[in-house]
Each structure stands twice: as C-alpha cells, then as structure tokens.
Amino acid sequence: MERTESTSDSVAFNMPDWLIQFADQKREFNKRPTKIGRRSLSRSISQSSTDSYSSDSSDDETSPRDKQQKNSKGSSDFCVKNIKQAEFGRREIEIAEQEMPALMALRKRAQGEKPLSGAKIVGCTHITAQTAVLIETLGALGAQCRWAACNIYSTLNEVAAALAESGFPVFSWKGESEDDFWWCIDRCVNVEGWQPNMILDDGGDLTHWIYKKYPNMFKKIKGIVEESVTGVHRLYQLSKAGKLCVPAMNVNDSVTKQKFDNLYCCRESILDGLKRTTDMMFGGKQVVVCGYGEVGKGCCAALKAMGSIVYVTEIDPICALQACMDGFRLVKLNEVIRQVDIVITCTGNKNVVTREHLDRMKNGCIVCNMGHSNTEIDVASLRTPELTWERVRSQVDHVIWPDGKRIVLLAEGRLLNLSCSTVPTFVLSITATTQALALIELYNAPEGRYKQDVYLLPKKMDEYVASLHLPTFDAHLTELSDEQAKYLGLNKNGPFKPNYYRY
C-alpha cells in the first residue's frame, strides 16, 4: 500500500509503507552506532597512523593514471591515488557514519526492500567520508554506482581508496589536472556493457559531459538529481532550450539543502578553512563577503561572531535589505577593496572579483571563494609574466606584484571549505538523505508522473528528511489535534507549509 500526498505543483508523491513506518521509529535514530572495529584494539594508534600515511616519494610523483593497481578482490576498475590507504579511509567513513544517523537508518530500514534495485547511478560529487556513506547506502539499497569527483581539490585520497577496496569504481584523487578531471568523468561513463540510468551531480559537469559526448546514452537516463546552484542553472538552461529529455530534481533549492547545508555548513566551515590555511585571527579584521544568499549569510554570521568587521555586496534588494537588518554594511566592492583584509565570494556568478580589484587590494589580503564553481575570482588574469606565484603550503599561494605587494589566494579560487578543510558531517547527513530519497523517488516514479523538466523536491519529502534528524537532539514535535488540523486546513501528517512558504 502507498499513501499519496498531493502538492500544489500537481505532482503526487507516493510514500511507501516502509518509509512511513520508518518515520515513526524515532527511538531508533537516537542510537548512535557503537560497533567495534575489525582491527585489534591493542594496536597502537601511532603505528596505525604511520601505516596509513606511509608512501614513498616516487609513488607520490607517479600519476594515478599511470599506475597498475588492484584491490584485494583483484579488480582494477578504479583509479585512485593509492589503494594501500584503504584501511585509513575506512576509519574515516566509520567516523562519518556516527554523525549521519538518518542515512544509516535509511540504509538499515530499506535494504530489505532494495528500492534502487536495478538502478545504475553515475555520480560526480565531492568524494569525502560523508559522500562515501551516501554511496555505500545507495549500494545497500540495490544500486550499482560509478563515481568521479566534481572538484580537483576536494577528494580525500584515503576515502577514495576505501571505496575502491569495497568494490565501487571510483576515479578521483586530490590535485587532478583539468585533463585528469574530464578523463575521470569519462572513465565513469564510458564502460562497455554498462548503461547508466540515473545521474547524481554536483555542478552539472557530469550531466554536461554525457549530454554533449554521449547523446544516445543521455536519452536513456531515467532521472537526474542535482544539488548545486551552478548545476541547477545549467539544467534550467537546457529545459528552456527544449533540450532536457529527462526529468531532473533540483535538490539545491529544497528547504533541507538551502536552509541547512548552505547556511549552517558554511557558517562553521568558513572559519575552519581560513584557520587551516592561514592561521589568522578574525577579531578586528575587515572582511567583505560578496553575496548574501544562504552561503553568504552563514559566512557573515560566523565572522561577525568572531569579532570581524563585515561588509556585504549584493545585487538583490531583498537580500541586501536582509544584510542591513542583520547589522552589516552594504557596499560596492570598489568602495572597500583597498582596506579589507579578506575577500570572500559566495555568488555563483563569474568575474565578481576582477583583475582591477586584485590590483587595488592591499598587501597581504586573503582572497577565497565559497561558491561551487571557480568562476567568481578571475584567477586566469593573475597568470601573467609580471606576477610571481609562490606556493606557501597546500592550496595556499602568494601572488606577488612587481612592487612586492602580495595577496594570499586560497585553493586557486576554488571552493574553500571542501578544498582546504572539512565540513560538518551532521549537516551533510541532511543533504545526503535528501539526495538518496530524490533518487528513490525519480527511479520508482510511474511513467508520466515527471515530465522532461526540472522539479523541486516535494514539500512532504523535505519535512520527512528534517523529521529524521530531530531525534538526535532529543526533540519532540507537537502533533495537531483533529480540530486544529481542520481549522488550519491541513493534513495532520503534513505537508505543513505551502510550496510558496519561504521559511
């Protein structure tokens, strides 16, 4: 039996009984995994750490594409930095599992029914411990997965090795070249006898690659799930041009992604990324944050709390007014570029920080990007003969002008938090659970429910994902009485807000 929830956009979402029962089992989510590892507890931490990281210099200098590697099962259908790091990566994944209770419970509850049985998912996301939990959950639910990275700096090599050791074809390593990046995507897609039927994308590069290079394969895709501003923008462009021949789910604009991942994740990880790369103190520093969407709001809140003086640039008068009401000075970038200590982009646009801005920055200014794509800072304009690049540490460069002025460029203008630090696992659990349910919904939807267009996640599903994470806080929802539900014109089980509600 399935229950049908209607939404104002006329797309019905059928919630299976196992999903409904799963939502009722709130006590289950409070229990964090307390499993004992497979390794002997008497083994010294120092010894295991040394084993995990050990590699000779010649190994580091060899491109993964030139290595012949096999996992313990004899498979070579992967390309990672060093398969020998798999044990260390497994420990990273086990830590992440403890902070992703809803995804782990979904895995436990749904693996008997296998709602993704027959799904062949090709994915292109950041390859981190949190993503590994999602990939292994999709596998437990019946899917076959092949994976590449959406960012050349965000891959955790040991996690990629652990996934490869577990039998997942992963093609990714930290520090790929542009050529490596597209090669890895192609190796994921172009496999004899393997036709993907689902895409999980972050940024749209995978979708774009299949659409352009393998149009016949693209036509056989059953659904696309996209989680970034950039990727969603590209999907809407395809749809507007009449070239999107498969239904797509816009996860980026779901409430659970916008209001949790974009806001709370960036609120914590902006400080982490800046500290790890520059060891700077935030108190009293002047910072300009370009963009006051959810990512910008999170960055500004964190920096303000640390005592920084924060300016905001914005094109949208509504977001601009929010910035003013939150106590931030709204400026044009040109007005403050000479005096600020840090410039952070969060817009999803291109050429927000131009060469003219970079020329006018003061000595020692830190420049970084918190948007998905590397288009916001005009890094290409800095690769000229009169400027000197000096590598300080991993993902940290000094760009030096002829007069000796230097700026500190982080991650070469790519996404700061995932390139230079880590992100809060619990928040990513919310996004990963949303992605998993979106894949299940698209894959199992009867023919005709979704047309060749871009859809928002059903409100009921957003509420459901949020409810799965409440027990972690020992939180107790108030339930409507029949009289109250009738008065408000609501179903007692939701959805509780119309689609136009803006939280």
Side-chain angles (χ1 to χ4, degrees):
M1 290 290 294
E2 292 185 340
R3 299 183 192 173
T4 301
E5 302 291 347
S6 62
T7 60
S8 59
D9 60 3
S10 76
V11 176
F13 165 53
N14 292 345
M15 185 177 284
D17 286 342
W18 65 265
L19 210 56
I20 297 164
Q21 294 166 11
F22 175 39
D24 294 335
Q25 295 179 348
K26 295 183 178 180
R27 294 175 63 89
E28 181 178 347
F29 303 121
N30 256 342
K31 301 175 183 175
R32 293 182 178 255
T34 55
K35 59 184 174 182
I36 299 174
R38 291 175 287 278
R39 299 160 299 281
S40 168
L41 296 178
S42 63
R43 189 180 186 202
S44 74
I45 294 176
S46 60
Q47 177 192 348
S48 62
S49 297
T50 302
D51 291 347
S52 301
Y53 282 103
S54 62
S55 63
D56 55 53
S57 58
S58 62
D59 179 65
D60 289 338
E61 293 170 1
T62 306
S63 168
R65 291 170 63 171
D66 299 328
K67 294 179 185 177
Q68 295 294 324
Q69 300 186 81
K70 291 185 178 181
N71 63 17
S72 62
K73 302 176 185 65
S75 172
S76 59
D77 188 17
F78 63 87
C79 190
V80 300
K81 183 70 175 177
N82 186 354
I83 191 65
K84 295 177 182 177
Q85 291 185 324
E87 185 182 357
F88 176 58
R90 179 52 52 190
R91 293 173 224 167
E92 294 267 350
I93 295 169
E94 288 171 356
I95 292 173
E97 288 175 350
Q98 297 176 44
E99 274 285 287
M100 304 182 84
L103 200 60
M104 293 301 293
L106 175 64
R107 181 191 301 186
K108 181 179 179 181
R109 176 66 188 170
Q111 64 184 354
E113 187 169 322
K114 303 281 188 191
L116 290 175
S117 179
K120 294 183 178 180
I121 303 171
V122 59
C124 183
T125 64
H126 301 284
I127 296 184
T128 62
Q130 297 84 6
T131 306
V133 179
L134 171 61
I135 294 171
E136 293 188 341
T137 298
L138 298 177
L141 301 186
Q144 295 179 33
C145 300
R146 298 180 68 85
W147 229 264
C150 67
N151 184 296
I152 64 174
Y153 290 134
S154 63
T155 296
L156 295 180
N157 287 330
E158 63 275 13
V159 170
L163 286 168
E165 173 59 30
S166 296
F168 291 97
V170 173
F171 302 87
S172 173
W173 59 92
K174 190 178 183 73
E176 298 169 357
S177 66
E178 287 289 331
D179 181 62
D180 291 334
F181 176 81
W182 295 110
W183 179 86
C184 286
I185 287 179
D186 196 65
R187 281 292 306 273
C188 261
V189 175
N190 186 16
V191 186
E192 188 176 350
W194 200 80
Q195 162 68 48
N197 52 26
M198 298 294 292
I199 293 174
L200 178 57
D201 211 353
D202 185 355
D205 287 324
L206 173 62
T207 301
H208 177 77
W209 184 260
I210 298 177
Y211 171 77
K212 288 288 188 182
K213 194 166 184 181
Y214 303 103
N216 291 331
M217 179 185 292
F218 188 76
K219 292 174 184 176
K220 296 177 182 177
I221 298 292
K222 189 167 184 179
I224 301 168
V225 174
E226 170 60 58
E227 71 153 325
S228 78
V229 173
T230 306
V232 166
H233 177 65
R234 295 166 87 173
L235 284 175
Y236 281 122
Q237 284 181 322
L238 279 179
S239 178
K240 189 175 181 180
K243 297 178 180 179
L244 184 64
C245 55
V246 297
M249 194 76 82
N250 170 5
V251 168
N252 177 72
D253 291 310
S254 65
V255 178
T256 42
K257 174 68 166 58
Q258 282 279 345
K259 296 295 180 179
F260 296 94
D261 192 336
N262 291 14
L263 176 63
Y264 297 112
C265 175
C266 295
R267 192 174 72 180
E268 297 196 18
S269 60
I270 180 64
L271 301 180
D272 188 19
L274 287 169
K275 280 286 189 187
R276 291 198 198 196
T277 49
T278 66
D279 303 311
M280 69 174 297
M281 184 170 180
F282 299 107
K285 292 294 193 302
Q286 296 192 58
V287 186
V288 59
V289 176
C290 302
Y292 202 67
E294 299 303 327
V295 172
K297 288 180 174 72
C299 292
C300 289
L303 291 160
K304 181 180 180 180
M306 296 301 290
S308 297
I309 301 161
V310 183
Y311 304 98
V312 171
T313 74
E314 188 42 84
I315 61 167
D316 185 329
I318 295 174
C319 293
L321 184 58
Q322 286 179 315
C324 293
M325 298 290 280
D326 288 336
F328 299 109
R329 175 85 184 278
L330 188 76
V331 298
K332 292 183 177 180
L333 188 56
N334 284 332
E335 297 171 358
V336 296
I337 196 65
R338 289 188 183 277
Q339 69 194 60
V340 293
D341 302 292
I342 312 171
V343 178
I344 304 169
T345 55
C346 315
T347 69
N349 205 342
K350 65 180 292 187
N351 294 335
V352 177
V353 177
T354 65
R355 175 61 189 269
E356 181 185 355
H357 294 126
L358 294 159
D359 284 338
R360 295 176 61 203
M361 288 176 186
K362 72 179 186 180
N363 184 51
C365 184
I366 297 167
V367 185
C368 62
N369 168 47
M370 283 290 285
H372 174 84
S373 189
N374 63 334
T375 57
E376 303 201 34
I377 302 165
D378 187 9
V379 176
S381 70
L382 296 175
R383 300 191 185 278
T384 54
E386 76 272 14
L387 300 184
T388 303
W389 284 61
E390 182 180 83
R391 176 55 56 96
V392 181
R393 57 173 71 160
S394 178
Q395 317 314 331
V396 182
D397 290 290
H398 280 164
V399 183
I400 307 170
W401 270 250
D403 64 358
K405 183 198 91 167
R406 62 183 63 197
I407 65 167
V408 182
L409 180 64
L410 305 182
E412 298 182 31
R414 295 178 184 271
L415 181 58
L416 170 69
N417 54 5
L418 280 153
S419 297
C420 301
S421 63
T422 57
V423 291
T425 300
F426 183 80
V427 171
L428 290 192
S429 174
I430 299 172
T431 302
T433 306
T434 302
Q435 289 172 308
L437 291 176
L439 285 167
I440 292 171
E441 168 67 6
L442 276 180
Y443 182 69
N444 291 285
E447 189 173 350
R449 176 183 293 177
Y450 295 103
K451 311 297 182 186
Q452 296 171 353
D453 205 349
V454 185
Y455 291 84
L456 288 172
L457 204 68
K459 177 76 67 175
K460 181 67 175 174
M461 201 182 293
D462 260 329
E463 292 177 350
Y464 176 65
V465 171
S467 72
L468 297 184
H469 290 83
L470 288 175
T472 300
F473 303 100
D474 193 25
H476 306 278
L477 276 172
T478 300
E479 296 181 7
L480 289 173
S481 67
D482 291 337
E483 182 183 10
Q484 288 173 323
K486 183 178 180 181
Y487 178 77
L488 293 174
L490 296 175
N491 185 310
K492 287 178 67 173
N493 298 314
F496 298 98
K497 299 288 191 296
N499 278 350
Y500 55 79
Y501 186 79
R502 292 186 175 89
Y503 293 91

